[in-house]
Amino acid sequence: MSTPPPDDELPALAAGEASVGEHPPPVPAGTGAGGGPWAAVEDVRRVAGPDLRLVGPAVAAWLAALVLLAASPAVAYLVAAASLTTAVALLVRPAPADARRRPAGGVRTASAAVLICVAASALGVGSRLAAVGSGPVRGLAKRGATARLDGVVTGDPRAVVKTGAVHHRETVIVPVRVEQVGNQRVRVPVLVLATAPAWKGLLPSRRIRFTARLTTPERSELLAAIALVRGPPTTLGVPSSPQRVAGVIRLRLRAAASHLPGDQRGVLPGLVDGDTSLLRPDLADAFEKAGLTHLMAVSGENLSLVLGAVLGLGRFAGLGRRAGPLLAGAAIVGFVVLARPSPSVLRAAVMGGIALIAVVGGRERQGVPALCAAVLVLVLADPELARSYGFALSASATAGILVLAPAWRDRLSRRMPRGLAEALAVSTAAHLACAPLLAMLGTGVSLSAIPANLLAAPAVAPATLLGVLAATVAPFSLGVARLIVWPAGLAVGWITGVARFFASMPYAVIGWPAGLTGVALLLAAVVVGALVFRRPMARGIAAAVLAGVVLVAVGTHVLAPSWPPRGWLFVVCDVGQGDGLALFTGPGQAAVVDTGPDPLAMDRCLRDLGVHTVPLLVLTHPHADHIDGLPGVLRGRAVGTVVISPDSDGEERHLLAGRTPRTAGIGDVWTVGPLTLSMLGPLSTLRVTARDTGTTVNNASVVMLARWPDLSVMLSGDVEIEAQRELLAAGVPPAQVLKIPHHGSSHQDPAFLAAVRARVAIASVGADNDYGHPAPSTMSTLTRLGERVYRTDRDGDVAVIGSRAGPTVVTRKNRP
C-alpha cells in the first residue's frame, strides 16, 4: 500500500513509528548479524521461535479500549466487572484430576489472563471517560461558556492553515492539561484551537493561563472540552529542564542544517527528531508517493540505531554487561524527550526498555512477547492509543517483521545475498502487515514503496547517526555540528533523490477502495495469490497475465498524448478551487498569472510543463485562491517582474519573499518572447484588501488580453457583473479563448461573455467546491454562445495549442 515498509525492528530492540498515514521504516540492507553497530547487541538477537502467549492479552486489551472509548463510563465499568468475575471463576475452578485433561487447564489460565487484561483496559477507559465527561470544565463546555484556565502544555503546537476563497487563516492546535478553572482544581485534557502566533512557540511542560470559549468535542474523545482562544497565552513559568534542553537541541540542529541544500535541510531534522518544519511541500509529496514518509516520523529504526551505537561504544569502552545497558537506558529517556512522546516513539521506548531489562538479566528474549508487552503497557497507560492509526501501523509492521520476515529471509537467501534477502523480506513483510490498515485509510496501493525503501535503506543509518551526533554537538559548537551534517547531508541527498525518482514514475500509486470494501478486496487478493503461487502451472499463468497487464499499462502510458503537448501556448492548471495559469514565453519559460491556493499543485503543474524560469508573474487580486500558491512558483525557479492590481494595498507582499511588486496600469503592454500581454482593467480606483467583501476584491482583478501569433486569450480574473459592465463600456477586444471570470460563478453579464466572442471557454474550478461553481446558468449561457466549455474539476490540466485553423485543446487528468 502507499506506506513504506517498516523499521529495522530487531527482536531485541524492536521499536516503532508514528502518526496516521505514516509507515514503518525498512531495515537497512547489511544490518544483519555481525554488521555495523548490531554486533554489540547480537547477544539479544537469538530467537528460537515466536512465543505467542502474550498475543491474546495484548489484542484483547487493545480491542476493549477501542470499543469502549465510544461507550459510557457505566458500560466500561460493567465490562470490567464482568470480565474480572469470569476470570476469577476460571482461576478458582479445581484443576482436572485426569492428567490427560491438563491442556484444558492451560486454556482456562490463558482465558483468565485475557479477561484480566480486558478488565484492566475497561477500568482504565471507564475512569478516563468519567474524568473528562464530568466536572466543571465539561459543564462549562456544555453551556458554551467562556472561562479562565490554567494548564500545562502536553505536546508540540501544530499549525494548520485553512484556505478560503477570500482569505486564509492559520489555526494553532495545542494539547493542554487543564489544572485549574477559576478557583477549582481539576486535571483534565483540553484541546486548544488558537489564532495568535504566540501559541506556536510553546514548549511541552510550559505552564500557561488563557481565556477561552469552551465547547464539547464533536467526536467521542478523551477530552473534557475544545477551547477556542483568540489572544496569546500568559506564561506562568518556564518549561521543564529536559524540555528546554530538547528545545535548544532541536533549534541548534536546524541552524546547523541551514547551510545544506534545500532538500537536505528539510529532511535531516526530520530523521533525527521528527522536526519537519523546513520540509518543502513538494518533497513531502514525493516522500508520500514513494512510500518513504515513515522516515520523517521518528520511530523504532531511529531508536534501534541510537541504542546499537550506544551499546557498541559501551562495549568498546569496556563497560560491563550491566553498565552498558544502563547507559543505553539513559539514551532512551533522552530520545523520548528530544523526539516527543508520539505513539510510535513511546512504543519504541517501551520495547527498547524491555530489551535492556533482558540484557541486564542475561536472559534470551523474543521479539513478539516484547511487542505484546509494549502494546499492553501503552494501551493500559493511554487507552486513546487504541484509536491511533499510527500506533496500529507501527505495531502491525513490527509484528510482520518478527513473524513473517525470518522465514522469507531464509528462503530468499538461497537465491540472493543474505543482506539483500533480509532487507527485501523485512520490507515486504512490513508492507503486507500494514496493507489492511492502509486499505481502511484508502491511501491507495503503492507500486514503488518496496523498491524505494530498499534503495533508500543503506543511507538511513549514516544519515541518522551523523544527525544525532550533530544534534549532540550543536548546543556546544555550531561550527563543528555544521561539519558533521555535511556527510549526513550526502546520505540524506541519496534518500531524497530516491524519493523524487520513484514519485515521478507513472503509476507510482494506484487507487484502491477505502474502508471494509478495500480490506475485503485486499484479503481476497492475498488468498488468491497464496493459492496461485503454490502451483507451478498457476504461477506461470499468473506471470503471463501480469506481464500482459504491465505491457498494456506501459503501452497506454507511452501511446497517450504527451505532456506538455507540443506547441502549447496557454495552460489552465488544475490547482483546485482557484486560478493558476501558465503562458508560454519560450523553451523552459512561462509567464504565470495567479498561483492558486496550493503551492504543491502549482509547483507540480509548472514542473510538468518544464518551466524553470518565470519572467513575468501577475497576481490579479489578493484572494487566497489566487495568491497562496505563490511559494510553489518561487520554489527553485528564477522569477522576474511581479505585477499586482493597482487597487491592491499589497496584501500579496507577505508571500513575495522580499520582492517588490510593480503595479499594473491600464494600457500597459508586456512583451516576453512571442507573448504580448495587454492590461485592460481594473477600471475602478478603489483601494482594497483581502479583508474587504468578496465582490469588491473580485472587481479589483487585473484583466488582460494575452496574444501570440496564432492565439488570443482573455484573462478575466474574478471580475463580476459591475466590473464586466465597465469593461464592456470601454470596449472589449475579441479573443479566441476565455478564462471564465470568477470560476464560472452566476455573477456574469451575458453581454460581456458574448462580446469576447470566444470559441473556447475554460473554468478553473475545484471539485465539489462549496460555492456551486461553475453555475449552471453560466454554463448554459456559454453553450448557447457556441463555445466549447472545459472545466479543471473534470478535465484536469487544460492546454491550448494555437494554429491558423483555431485553438486546439488537450486535457490531462492529474496522476493520483
Side-chain angles (χ1 to χ4, degrees):
M1 309 300 288
S2 71
T3 69
D7 308 354
D8 180 4
E9 304 284 1
L10 295 180
L13 300 171
E17 111 56 329
S19 54
V20 177
E22 296 168 357
H23 321 295
V27 83
T31 57
W38 305 119
V41 293
E42 192 61 30
D43 55 302
V44 293
R45 289 200 58 171
R46 298 188 298 275
V47 175
D51 181 347
L52 305 180
R53 286 175 295 179
L54 283 180
V55 171
V59 172
W62 190 340
L63 292 178
L66 179 65
V67 172
L68 293 175
L69 281 170
S72 66
V75 172
Y77 290 142
L78 182 61
V79 170
S83 300
L84 188 59
T85 301
T86 307
V88 171
L90 288 173
L91 291 175
V92 300
R93 182 177 177 182
D98 188 349
R100 289 174 298 180
R101 297 182 57 196
R102 284 180 184 171
V107 171
R108 286 202 310 274
T109 302
S111 300
V114 168
L115 290 170
I116 290 172
C117 289
V118 169
S121 181
L123 187 62
V125 171
S127 63
R128 285 167 173 78
L129 288 173
V132 301
S134 60
V137 175
R138 176 56 67 90
L140 291 169
K142 289 179 178 178
R143 301 197 304 269
T146 298
R148 191 190 71 179
L149 308 169
D150 289 1
V152 177
V153 178
T154 57
D156 283 310
R158 179 168 57 93
V160 176
V161 178
K162 182 178 181 181
T163 300
V166 177
H167 57 84
H168 67 279
R169 182 180 62 191
E170 184 178 68
T171 300
V172 185
I173 302 174
V174 188
V176 173
R177 184 180 66 248
V178 172
E179 298 186 339
Q180 184 169 331
V181 52
N183 295 321
Q184 293 179 279
R185 302 291 296 179
V186 294
R187 189 179 177 85
V188 291
V190 165
L191 193 66
V192 172
L193 306 182
T195 55
W199 286 87
K200 292 192 291 186
L202 295 175
L203 288 175
S205 76
R206 189 74 182 259
R207 296 188 60 83
I208 57 173
R209 175 175 293 160
F210 57 97
T211 300
R213 181 169 67 85
L214 301 176
T215 64
T216 56
E218 295 181 0
R219 302 181 301 160
S220 53
E221 298 176 279
L222 289 180
L223 290 173
I226 302 293
L228 307 178
V229 184
R230 290 186 178 275
T234 300
T235 55
L236 302 178
V238 296
S240 65
S241 297
Q243 291 293 355
R244 290 202 306 273
V245 171
V248 170
I249 293 175
R250 291 162 72 95
L251 181 64
R252 298 286 283 180
L253 178 61
R254 285 200 301 271
S258 63
H259 288 68
L260 295 174
D263 282 358
Q264 300 173 20
R265 180 169 62 241
V267 171
L268 183 61
L271 282 173
V272 175
D273 57 32
D275 181 0
T276 58
S277 59
L278 301 178
L279 187 66
R280 292 161 43 164
D282 63 315
L283 184 56
D285 181 62
F287 268 72
E288 182 176 353
K289 287 182 177 179
L292 296 171
T293 308
H294 62 90
L295 294 179
M296 242 57 63
V298 174
S299 59
E301 183 176 14
N302 308 65
L303 182 55
S304 295
L305 290 167
V306 171
L307 290 182
V310 169
L311 289 172
L313 290 173
R315 178 165 294 183
F316 179 78
L319 297 180
R321 185 182 183 86
R322 299 179 186 275
L326 291 177
L327 180 62
I332 290 178
V333 175
F335 176 84
V336 172
V337 172
L338 176 62
R340 309 293 194 236
S342 66
S344 64
V345 172
L346 287 172
R347 184 185 67 77
V350 171
M351 291 194 70
I354 292 171
L356 289 173
I357 291 172
V359 173
V360 171
R363 300 176 57 190
E364 287 190 344
R365 54 169 296 277
Q366 295 180 350
V368 172
L371 172 62
C372 294
V375 167
L376 192 56
V377 169
L378 291 172
V379 169
L380 292 178
D382 184 3
E384 206 161 21
L385 286 177
R387 285 180 167 176
S388 167
Y389 269 108
F391 183 71
L393 286 167
S394 176
S396 298
T398 305
I401 292 172
L402 297 175
V403 175
L404 300 175
W408 293 358
R409 176 201 59 206
D410 294 340
R411 184 169 296 181
L412 289 171
S413 61
R414 301 170 190 166
R415 296 182 173 89
M416 61 183 68
R418 186 174 179 84
L420 178 59
E422 184 169 2
L424 182 58
V426 166
S427 296
T428 306
H431 195 66
L432 184 61
C434 290
L437 288 169
L438 298 174
M440 286 291 294
L441 289 170
T443 55
V445 176
S446 173
L447 302 181
S448 62
I450 292 176
N453 275 276
L454 287 173
L455 285 176
V460 173
T464 302
L465 292 176
L466 288 171
V468 169
L469 180 60
T472 305
V473 172
F476 308 100
S477 175
L478 193 59
V480 174
R482 285 173 175 162
L483 291 176
I484 297 172
V485 300
W486 179 76
L490 296 179
V492 171
W494 171 261
I495 296 171
T496 58
V498 169
R500 290 195 181 278
F501 173 78
F502 281 98
S504 66
M505 293 179 62
Y507 312 111
V509 180
I510 61 175
W512 193 266
L516 294 178
T517 302
V519 174
L521 182 60
L522 178 67
L523 293 177
V526 170
V527 170
V528 171
L531 293 175
V532 165
F533 283 98
R534 282 180 175 273
R535 303 179 182 277
M537 181 177 293
R539 287 201 298 268
I541 295 173
V545 171
L546 182 60
V549 171
V550 170
L551 286 174
V552 169
V554 172
T556 301
H557 180 75
V558 170
L559 297 176
S562 62
W563 193 266
R566 183 185 297 270
W568 72 274
L569 296 176
F570 175 60
V571 171
V572 179
C573 299
D574 180 10
V575 293
Q577 182 63 20
D579 277 6
L581 316 175
L583 294 76
F584 179 82
T585 58
Q589 300 184 11
V592 172
V593 176
D594 288 333
T595 63
D598 181 7
L600 188 63
M602 196 65 208
D603 180 42
R604 186 267 317 160
C605 182
L606 295 179
R607 190 171 62 249
D608 289 352
L609 292 172
V611 173
H612 51 74
T613 302
V614 179
L616 179 64
L617 171 62
V618 181
L619 303 173
T620 61
H621 63 292
H623 270 171
D625 59 333
H626 290 251
I627 67 172
D628 273 10
L630 181 56
V633 177
L634 301 178
R635 187 172 296 126
R637 295 181 181 87
V639 177
T641 303
V642 181
V643 178
I644 63 174
S645 169
D647 288 344
S648 173
D649 71 342
E651 181 77 15
E652 307 89 339
R653 296 178 192 272
H654 73 283
L655 295 170
L656 286 173
R659 292 174 170 82
T660 302
R662 297 184 57 171
T663 299
I666 305 304
D668 287 352
V669 177
W670 298 85
T671 301
V672 187
L675 170 67
T676 300
L677 206 56
S678 303
M679 307 293 174
L680 306 179
L683 298 175
S684 62
T685 57
L686 178 65
R687 180 70 58 155
V688 301
T689 73
R691 292 174 291 277
D692 288 321
T693 63
T695 295
T696 302
V697 182
N698 288 340
N699 284 330
S701 296
V702 176
V703 179
M704 297 166 285
L705 179 67
R707 287 177 292 187
W708 295 265
D710 293 322
L711 183 68
S712 58
V713 179
M714 177 65 69
L715 305 175
S716 54
D718 274 3
V719 291
E720 299 186 16
I721 293 175
E722 300 81 3
Q724 291 176 17
R725 288 176 177 170
E726 290 180 353
L727 290 166
L728 191 62
V732 177
Q736 295 169 300
V737 178
L738 169 66
K739 199 288 298 183
I740 304 173
H742 196 202
H743 320 292
S745 78
S746 59
H747 301 285
Q748 310 286 343
D749 182 355
F752 173 80
L753 300 178
V756 178
R757 294 186 285 177
R759 299 168 63 175
V760 172
I762 306 172
S764 183
V765 59
D768 303 320
N769 63 84
D770 297 332
Y771 310 101
H773 297 163
S777 58
T778 300
M779 297 296 100
S780 298
T781 299
L782 293 169
T783 301
R784 286 197 305 272
L785 292 172
E787 300 181 20
R788 289 179 287 149
V789 179
Y790 296 85
R791 303 167 43 168
T792 56
D793 60 335
R794 296 180 179 176
D795 301 309
D797 297 325
V798 180
V800 182
I801 303 169
S803 70
R804 293 182 180 180
T808 300
V809 176
V810 177
T811 64
R812 179 193 69 159
K813 290 293 289 183
N814 286 335
R815 299 190 302 265

